[in-house]
Amino acid sequence: MRALWFAINLGAACGAPASVLAAPALAASAVRAPAAEAAERPNVVLILADDLGWGDLGCYGHPRFKTPEIDRLAREGARLSQFYAPVPFCAPTRASLLTGRSPFRSGMTRNPAPDAGVDDAGLPASEVTLAEALRASGYATAMVGKWHLGHRPEFFPTRHGFDEYLGILYSNDMRPVQLVDGEKVVEYPVVQATLTRRYTERALEVMERHRDRPFFLYFAHAMPHKPLAASERFYKKSGAGLYGDALAELDWSVGQVLEKLKALELEERTLVLFTSDNGPWFGGSTGGLRGMKGTAWEGGLRVPLIARWPGRIPAGRTSGEPAIIMDLFATVLAAARVAAPPDRAIDGKDILPLLSAGAPSPHEALHFFAGARPSAVRSGRWKLHVAPPERGGPPGADWVDPRAPDGVTLLAPYEQARPGEYPGARAGDPPRAGALFDLEADPGESRDVAEGHPDVVERLRRLHARLLREVEAAGPGGRQEKARRL
Ligand code: MG
């Protein structure tokens, strides 16, 4: 089935809509040179920030951080105010983004971590990534930045559909921090201060090189994940601390990408997406939402989403319809007129109608996870925590990150964000399994209203139970950690 699907999408590169091509026609069309129609399909630039909070951008209301280029992107496109990561930390969210599937389906429920002995976690070869799907239909594919879907060779981005790769294979605080080009380590230790600039230079070069054919560029920044870093041009210039400096450079990078698209006359033919993999760590901002990265509060899960595609997405649209990061898989495939792999469950939905025409959310419910375990369900204005939204607490105020980025280079150690700079709201009813919040009336999740709405609790529990049956029937990831029952 998978081979046939690849053949179908290769046929799509030759001009026919993937969904209507019959297999016998494929073999013939697949050997012909790509038709002109392939060139009309949009390029896709998917920019992912790391640990960027829902409240970190000017266009999401931050009072001090200056992000004029990202704000411009939002003005020229659409911005969603209720967009989510399915998991409040890195790897499972990234797997969902690239596969369109909840993490329990792929088994990608943990963060690979070379300095903690987690070397066996990685995206299985059986998953079909966005890069594989687009490449099979004629796209050039390139990735720049943080991968975090496995650091053994069999998991590399180059084994998952990317023609080329430059980046760090995991978080920028995991030792050894090495820069990899293709499959080769080219720098150790990494000079992180210049990383955003160098990533940007590669991204611009990729776009230039592929200006005459559809390309997919996945640009996954290291910033503003700790340890924070900024190049000399931005260091101590923002007036908003090292976090503000790092963010200013990231914003500059987005501006460079937009300028390059303009110079190459590709603006109208390029879908640009900007989002983050989870809520903020210390120093960032949830914009008043409760919690932070690692918690199932809104502050851990809700992230910005901006989408620009001139002529297809009206400028300046905003929407409060709930959507989730795996939707970008289905959305990009729909934009590129590439069929999704038919032999597996895809949880993401095409949200182009939401972005371009103000359609309602395609989801009856959004499900959130703590690793393989479901943690919360949102439907409409309601959110039910099926597990306690946080465990333990953040480190004490005197905590200092014990890890230098590589054990050699210390980056502005006294300017790194500390626990005193907690990014979200902390007040409210205590975290507990079974807590219900009305996100419309109470976006900060401060008043548990489960007692007054037994019908809502029951409805959300039923949605959760339906998902649990799928989790338990799923592959190894779903079985490794048994789902928690209410
Ligand atoms: Mg992250």
Side-chain angles (χ1 to χ4, degrees):
M1 179 63 96
R2 185 176 155 149
L4 174 62
W5 170 82
F6 272 114
I8 287 173
N9 281 320
L10 190 57
C14 302
S19 56
V20 300
L21 274 172
L26 295 178
S29 60
V31 295
R32 287 201 297 268
E37 192 174 335
E40 288 165 18
R41 290 184 297 157
N43 308 302
V44 178
V45 177
L46 171 53
I47 304 172
L48 183 70
D50 196 354
D51 295 5
L52 179 93
W54 186 71
D56 275 345
L57 304 175
C59 56
Y60 280 79
H62 199 282
R64 286 190 308 125
F65 296 153
K66 299 282 186 287
T67 53
E69 299 294 344
I70 300 172
D71 299 348
R72 169 161 80 95
L73 186 69
R75 277 199 310 278
E76 295 174 356
R79 183 172 70 80
L80 298 193
S81 60
Q82 316 247 345
F83 190 75
Y84 288 94
V87 179
F89 58 91
C90 296
T93 294
R94 288 160 194 265
S96 295
L97 171 66
L98 288 185
T99 64
R101 287 150 58 79
S102 287
F104 73 89
R105 298 194 199 278
S106 63
M108 195 66 229
T109 57
R110 298 177 294 159
N111 275 347
D115 51 359
V118 187
D119 300 316
D120 58 339
L123 191 67
S126 55
E127 292 297 312
V128 175
T129 68
L130 199 47
E132 285 175 300
L134 292 172
R135 182 159 78 174
S137 70
Y139 276 70
T141 58
M143 179 179 177
V144 178
K146 173 176 168 178
W147 173 239
H148 217 183
L149 296 178
H151 48 270
R152 284 185 176 162
E154 66 266 30
F155 300 129
F156 283 179
T158 42
R159 315 286 177 97
H160 275 294
F162 289 99
D163 299 332
E164 57 183 294
Y165 173 68
L166 175 73
I168 297 169
L169 288 166
Y170 29 78
S171 297
N172 64 328
D173 64 342
M174 292 179 174
R175 296 181 194 180
V177 183
Q178 299 172 326
L179 190 68
V180 172
D181 194 341
E183 300 193 348
K184 268 180 58 182
V185 173
V186 293
E187 184 175 313
Y188 173 79
V190 175
V191 179
Q192 295 208 32
T194 56
L195 200 54
T196 298
R197 176 167 60 71
R198 290 185 290 154
Y199 278 173
T200 305
E201 285 165 1
R202 173 62 69 94
L204 302 184
E205 193 255 312
V206 164
M207 294 191 289
E208 178 111 34
R209 191 156 22 93
H210 296 301
R211 63 186 299 174
D212 295 324
R213 65 182 283 204
F215 62 79
F216 169 46
L217 169 63
Y218 176 33
F219 189 177
H221 282 276
M223 292 296 116
H225 192 284
K226 71 183 175 70
L228 299 162
S231 66
E232 196 65 24
R233 181 177 158 193
F234 293 92
Y235 179 60
K236 291 201 168 181
K237 302 292 194 310
S238 72
L242 188 53
Y243 198 100
D245 297 342
L247 209 49
E249 188 159 21
L250 198 158
D251 183 70
W252 162 85
S253 171
V254 171
Q256 292 293 298
V257 168
L258 300 182
E259 282 308 307
K260 178 58 77 176
L261 289 174
K262 188 174 183 185
L264 297 174
E265 299 180 350
L266 292 176
E267 283 178 309
E268 312 256 306
R269 280 173 39 202
T270 304
L271 169 62
V272 180
L273 297 159
F274 179 95
T275 188
S276 174
D277 65 338
N278 48 253
W281 185 252
F282 305 127
S285 171
T286 65
L289 301 175
R290 191 169 177 179
M292 63 178 288
K293 173 183 179 177
T295 75
W297 299 115
E298 292 289 286
L301 294 166
R302 209 190 290 184
V303 291
L305 177 78
I306 299 167
R308 189 190 80 166
W309 190 6
R312 294 296 299 270
I313 295 174
R317 180 183 294 284
T318 58
S319 171
E321 291 293 317
I324 194 160
I325 211 158
M326 52 271 247
D327 292 339
L328 300 184
F329 177 88
T331 303
V332 167
L333 290 190
R337 286 178 289 138
V338 171
D343 60 345
R344 61 198 66 209
I346 301 291
D347 300 293
K349 312 270 189 210
D350 173 14
I351 56 167
L352 267 181
L354 194 164
L355 296 166
S356 62
S361 171
H363 297 282
E364 181 184 11
L366 298 178
H367 296 280
F368 306 106
F369 300 83
R373 241 178 17 257
S375 62
V377 53
R378 174 172 182 179
S379 184
R381 66 195 292 176
W382 306 102
K383 179 176 171 189
L384 179 73
H385 289 275
V386 297
E390 59 182 304
R391 295 207 171 84
D398 57 349
W399 174 87
V400 177
D401 190 336
R403 292 186 290 190
D406 49 35
V408 179
T409 310
L410 282 173
L411 290 167
Y414 299 106
E415 295 155 37
Q416 297 293 329
R418 301 280 178 90
E421 300 167 76
Y422 193 87
R426 305 178 79 167
D429 289 341
R432 69 174 187 97
L436 179 77
F437 295 95
D438 177 352
L439 293 179
E440 219 165 84
D442 178 25
E445 294 172 285
S446 62
R447 292 182 303 280
D448 179 356
V449 295
E451 234 180 85
H453 297 277
D455 52 329
V456 175
V457 171
E458 186 50 35
R459 185 170 72 80
L460 268 63
R461 279 186 183 190
R462 274 204 302 274
L463 289 166
H464 172 62
R466 197 163 77 194
L467 176 84
L468 266 189
R469 287 194 289 276
E470 285 192 64
V471 170
E472 286 174 358
R479 282 198 286 271
Q480 277 168 8
E481 295 179 60
K482 278 292 171 200
R484 186 188 184 95
R485 291 180 182 281
L486 275 176

